[in-house]
Amino acid sequence: MGVVTSIEEIVGSLESGMTIGIGGWGSRRKPMALVRAIYRSALTDLTIVSYGGPDVGLLCAAGKVRRVVAPFVTLDSIALEPHFRAARQRGAVEFTEYDEGMFMFGLLAAAHRLPFLPTRAGLGSDVMRMNPGLRTVRSPYDDGEELVAVPALTMDVALVHMDVADTRGNGRYLGPDPYMDDLFAKAAGRCFVSCDRMVEPGELGGPPQTLLVSRMHVAGVVETPAGGHFTDSGQGRDEMFQRHYAASAADPEAWAAFADRFLSGDEAAYQEVVQQWREEGR
């Protein structure tokens, strides 16, 4: 697989049973074109590591997920992702929950190839009770402080979405927040980047701090215009479509109709039918 690749090649390189990290945050800058392709694939038994949003929910709805590792699974303006909630209520997926700080330390540990990192986050909270496998360590220095040993969140593959990327795999974000996409890229065995716009090397522009993802960590990059839809990805979140998605999740027949209309074709078909939905006045 070359650096510039396709959605089909990326998903075709994945295997059932993998641990897949997905960048973004809640319903913000998610690599939804890649998630939709996984939805359509034969992949199953996945462990998803994510600051979760509709990426997690959509894959739960498709029965692709065995386990979720996350601090939350939310649509931001809708507090709890409905498909994830339904999957948990059915007992269909396992869930390992950390707080946001612990989750970040797990990514950092994996990015630095460490087995764990110590943190105060989680001490005295129910996180320890809900995750009996967590361990504590004691500082070897004079303070002797007890700390939570957050295990590395190692991943086979990470998927992230950038606003702009070049053909070598360097990625730039244009929004107000980098989230943790750089850590996902460093923590995984392989990272694939989707982007709204692809440019030639040297044409990324912008201040250096917006160059979030380095080609050193990228196995493949694909241009997917509006590939973050319906999450907040440069043009803002499509709140009307998100509400339609969430409302459809509440009823099996409505969801079947939604999936048939929006998710039965490839990414080009998805973008076309979303545009038709807008033109019809929703």
Side-chain angles (χ1 to χ4, degrees), residues 80-248:
L80 187 59
E81 213 292 337
H83 287 300
F84 171 73
R85 178 180 60 191
R88 284 294 294 152
Q89 289 173 338
R90 295 194 311 270
V93 297
E94 302 171 29
F95 184 37
T96 300
E97 184 177 13
Y98 298 138
D99 81 354
E100 294 172 16
M102 295 173 74
F103 192 88
M104 181 186 71
F105 269 77
L107 291 175
L108 280 166
H112 290 284
R113 303 302 187 260
L114 296 170
F116 70 92
L117 275 176
T119 179
R120 295 186 180 94
L123 288 171
S125 77
D126 280 346
V127 170
M128 303 298 291
R129 181 177 63 83
M130 297 300 293
N131 294 279
L134 283 174
R135 299 289 184 264
T136 59
V137 293
R138 194 165 296 279
S139 169
Y141 298 103
D142 291 343
D143 60 279
E145 183 177 0
E146 186 179 35
L147 300 164
V148 178
V150 181
L153 291 176
T154 55
M155 297 165 280
D156 297 303
V157 172
L159 309 174
V160 302
H161 186 72
M162 294 285 104
D163 297 288
V164 187
D166 68 21
T167 55
R168 292 180 178 176
N170 298 297
R172 178 184 175 209
Y173 74 101
L174 303 178
D177 198 325
Y179 312 123
M180 304 293 170
D181 288 1
D182 54 334
L183 295 184
F184 277 96
K186 295 173 184 175
R190 290 180 291 153
C191 176
F192 295 105
V193 174
S194 62
C195 64
D196 288 313
R197 182 167 61 92
M198 191 180 298
V199 298
E200 293 299 317
E203 297 180 1
L204 279 171
Q209 62 267 30
T210 66
L211 299 176
L212 185 64
V213 175
S214 168
R215 65 186 177 88
M216 292 175 59
H217 305 114
V218 174
V221 58
V222 58
E223 186 177 56
T224 59
H229 184 269
F230 53 91
T231 67
D232 187 350
S233 181
Q235 304 301 315
R237 183 164 49 242
D238 189 338
E239 293 286 357
M240 289 293 290
F241 192 88
Q242 177 166 280
R243 286 196 291 271
H244 181 45
Y245 164 86
S248 299

Side-chain angles (χ1 to χ4, degrees), residues 18-24 30 46-52 55-56 59 65 67-72 96 98 103 106-107 110 152-159 184 187:
M18 276 186 165
T19 296
I20 298 177
I22 303 178
K30 289 288 183 176
L46 301 175
T47 294
I48 303 298
V49 179
S50 176
Y51 286 98
D55 53 329
V56 174
L59 297 181
V65 182
R67 179 175 173 234
V68 175
V69 182
F72 52 72
T96 300
Y98 298 138
F103 192 88
L107 291 175
L153 291 176
T154 55
M155 297 165 280
D156 297 303
V157 172
L159 309 174
F184 277 96

Side-chain angles (χ1 to χ4, degrees), residues 29-42:
R29 209 175 68 229
K30 289 288 183 176
M32 294 303 293
L34 297 177
V35 171
R36 285 186 283 268
I38 295 173
Y39 175 97
R40 297 189 301 268
S41 76

